[in-house]
């Protein structure tokens, strides 16, 4: 496909700190619910009036003015970005979601007691929570061919050298347990001081359909959230949540280029690893950052060498396609060139390296062991969305944190949708429901909406079409209807949960 659509879903960790008087008594689930409700109380979106699934009752979440979605997922706050056609928009809306949540904490007066942590693991319980990536591809994409799945798996396994968020320690969770209630045991046969990925320990399979159970490097579920005869959505849950805008852009950008060369049929089967799951962990846990791997052919290589060959193949077949592609290729080459120079060489561009450098400097100054609770607390603080407390924000303030967007663009994107996709029309719908049709019943999903049980659903199956003008015209028929004429028992054919 020549046109692109991206999306990111982020589950946030939540850290509650008692104050000196010990009078802050809300539990994490209560806090998450109050934050969500506070955001919707500001007329920044509309809460669901209907069940989306057994675990998503009315009021559990809803769509926002920026056409993204904020909701609770098994007790975690989660923000799903609107559909974006380019990386700059995607990074901007990802940051907008972060900002909406952090501002709610501050407006509720909880900044001293509640920290929103954009990471993927609780360092005390080793519970994990995800960052899911979404890529739209054509229905003809060769996703059902095992060799292609293994090629994608090899890329995702090795990209962690510049996409990982890093963490202190390790764990070996039971493969069939989800993060809720997990009580994993620390590995007893291997001491891991620091590893470059937060999710590597929690991925026990190479391929699998489920999202919450028995996670896989490549999720094979076919849930397009669009016209299934034309499109497929590649839904990945293997990646870390990244604080660096550059790291997020590289994570999403390089992956979409790999999908494009797979579509062209020029990805090399020589990249396939002997055991992607084992390589995922060994790369992440390599204390010397050598990142050696064994290929399916029996030959040995490194994650860096494979990524360089993947880059060269993408340069050969995709260079000059458009400005965004050339930006990805240029910066992919830059980060791969600088990684062998050490963590300081990619400071602000690679999260694990930035964190490692910060923690190692502090550890040496204070003469601490890696497992020291003080150091673990700083690990979490790297991901704190509070700019007065989060360690990452110091990199941006000093100019070391590479920006792809601006604060002004993020502010605008808190309440305005991106253009170029159906998100533009969805944003117009939400705005109308808040302003002109606040008494109307509604059912909204990614694929469309319904405002009356007597009318057919308004479907938005082609995500590249805005539908804004059609939606505005469609809404005019309801201008004279009273709220009593619209009943809450609305249904849409096969509404899908993202």
């Amino acid at each position: 496909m020549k046109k692109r659509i991206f999306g990111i879903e982020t589950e946030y960790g939540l850290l509650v700190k008692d104050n000196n008087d010990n009078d802050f008594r809300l539990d994490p689930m209560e806090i998450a619910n109050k934050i969500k409700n506070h955001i919707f109380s500001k007329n920044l979106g509309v809460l669901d009036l209907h069940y989306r699934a057994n675990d998503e009752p009315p009021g559990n979440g809803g769509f926002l003015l920026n056409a993204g979605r904020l909701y609770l997922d098994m007790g975690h706050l989660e923000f799903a970005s609107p559909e974006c056609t380019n990386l700059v928009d995607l990074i901007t809306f990802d940051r907008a979601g972060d900002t909406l949540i952090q501002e709610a904490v501050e407006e509720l007066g909880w900044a001293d007691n509640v920290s929103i942590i954009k990471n993927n693991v609780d360092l005390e319980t080793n519970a994990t929570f995800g960052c899911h990536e979404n890529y739209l591809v054509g229905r003809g994409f060769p996703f059902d061919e095992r060799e292609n799945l293994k090629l994608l798996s090899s890329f995702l396994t090795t990209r962690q050298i510049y996409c990982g968020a890093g963490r202190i320690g390790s764990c070996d969770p039971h493969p069939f347990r989800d993060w809720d209630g997990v009580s994993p045991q620390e590995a007893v046969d291997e001491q891991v001081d620091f590893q470059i990925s937060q999710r590597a320990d929690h991925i026990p399979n190479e391929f699998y359909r489920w999202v919450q159970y028995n996670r896989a490097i490549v999720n094979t579920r076919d849930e397009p959230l669009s016209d299934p005869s034309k499109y497929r959505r590649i839904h990945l849950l293997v990646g870390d949540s990244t604080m660096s805008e550059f790291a997020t852009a590289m994570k999403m950008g390089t992956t979409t280029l790999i999908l494009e060369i797979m579509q062209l049929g020029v990805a090399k089967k020589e990249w396939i690893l002997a055991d992607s799951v084992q390589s995922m962990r060994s790369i992440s846990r390599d204390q010397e950052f050598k990142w050696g791997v064994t290929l399916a052919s029996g030959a040995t290589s490194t994650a860096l060498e494979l990524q360089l060959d993947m880059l060269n193949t993408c340069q050969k077949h995709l260079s000059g396609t458009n400005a965004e592609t050339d930006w990805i290729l240029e910066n992919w080459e830059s980060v791969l060139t600088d990684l062998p120079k050490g963590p300081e060489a990619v400071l602000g561009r690679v999260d694990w390296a930035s964190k490692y450098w910060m923690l190692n400097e502090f550890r040496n100054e204070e003469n601490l062991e890696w497992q020291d609770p003080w150091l673990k607390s700083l690990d979490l603080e790297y991901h704190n969305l509070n700019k007065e407390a989060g360690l990452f924000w110091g990199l941006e303030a000093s100019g070391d944190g590479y920006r792809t967007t601006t604060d002004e663009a993020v502010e605008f994107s808190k309440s305005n949708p991106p253009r170029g996709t159906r998100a533009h029309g969805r944003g117009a719908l939400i705005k109308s429901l808040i302003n002109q049709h606040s008494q109307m019943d509604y059912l909204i999903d990614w694929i469309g909406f319904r405002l009356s049980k007597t009318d057919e659903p308004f479907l938005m199956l082609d995500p590249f079409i805005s539908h804004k003008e059609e939606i505005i015209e469609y809404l005019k028929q309801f201008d004279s209807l009273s709220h009593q004429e619209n009943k809450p028992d609305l249904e849409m054919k096969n509404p899908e949960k993202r």
Side-chain angles (χ1 to χ4, degrees), residues 161-402:
I161 63 176
Y162 53 88
C163 295
R167 63 159 291 185
I168 291 174
S170 63
C171 74
D172 290 293
H174 190 286
F176 285 98
R177 290 187 180 175
D178 191 41
W179 56 263
D180 188 19
V182 164
S183 55
Q185 301 297 316
E186 289 287 338
V188 296
D189 58 342
E190 180 181 10
Q191 177 64 43
V192 179
D193 292 331
F194 184 91
Q195 58 177 310
I196 67 174
S197 170
Q198 298 206 352
R199 290 285 270 180
D201 284 348
H202 301 273
I203 307 294
N205 287 294
E206 188 170 23
F207 320 123
Y208 204 64
R209 290 180 57 84
W210 286 96
V211 175
Q212 294 173 336
Y213 302 96
N214 219 15
R215 302 174 193 86
I217 297 171
V218 178
N219 177 251
T220 57
R221 183 177 64 177
D222 188 2
E223 187 184 22
L225 298 180
S226 57
D227 186 341
S229 69
K230 294 181 179 180
Y231 303 112
R232 181 165 192 155
R233 179 175 62 117
I234 307 297
H235 181 70
L236 303 176
L237 49 89
V238 67
D240 292 359
S241 295
T242 40
M243 295 294 291
S244 163
E245 292 184 1
F246 180 91
T248 305
M250 284 293 97
K251 175 174 67 175
M252 303 295 294
T254 58
T255 304
T256 202
L257 296 193
I258 289 295
L259 293 174
E260 288 176 15
I261 64 168
M262 289 173 63
Q263 179 79 68
L264 292 172
V266 296
K268 301 178 182 179
K269 65 180 181 180
E270 289 80 10
W271 297 336
I272 296 175
L273 297 169
D275 187 336
S276 290
V277 174
Q278 188 277 330
S279 295
M280 175 75 71
R281 292 196 183 194
S282 65
I283 293 170
S284 181
R285 295 179 176 202
D286 186 346
Q287 301 302 288
E288 296 181 352
F289 308 140
K290 303 279 187 191
W291 306 318
V293 295
T294 301
L295 304 177
S297 65
T300 58
S301 185
T302 69
L304 181 62
E305 289 172 347
L306 284 180
Q307 282 287 320
L308 283 168
D309 197 28
M310 293 172 184
L311 164 65
N312 291 335
T313 303
C314 289
Q315 287 174 326
K316 179 180 179 181
H317 295 280
L318 301 176
S319 182
T321 302
N322 54 52
E324 181 173 82
T325 295
D326 288 345
W327 183 91
I328 297 167
L329 291 170
E330 177 185 349
N331 286 280
W332 192 1
E333 182 175 22
S334 172
V335 75
L336 293 181
T337 299
D338 289 342
L339 271 170
K341 302 173 186 177
E344 195 168 357
V346 290
L347 199 65
R349 289 185 289 163
V350 177
D351 276 312
W352 76 258
S354 302
K355 181 194 287 185
Y356 179 84
W357 180 82
M358 287 181 174
L359 296 183
N360 207 34
E361 289 288 303
F362 186 79
R363 185 178 70 88
N364 290 332
E365 288 177 7
E366 299 294 335
N367 194 29
L368 301 175
E369 297 295 327
W370 275 107
Q371 303 301 322
D372 191 286
W374 192 2
L375 210 59
K376 282 188 173 184
S377 70
L378 293 179
D379 184 333
L380 290 179
E381 288 301 324
Y382 180 87
H383 305 271
N384 194 336
L385 293 187
N386 187 336
K387 293 188 177 182
E388 300 299 319
L391 298 183
F392 169 79
W393 305 111
L395 293 173
E396 284 200 354
S398 67
D400 290 321
Y402 187 105

Side-chain angles (χ1 to χ4, degrees), residues 408-424:
E408 293 76 17
V410 171
E411 180 66 25
F412 181 81
S413 299
K414 287 161 44 182
S415 55
N416 293 277
R419 294 175 179 268
T421 72
R422 64 186 176 195
H424 196 201

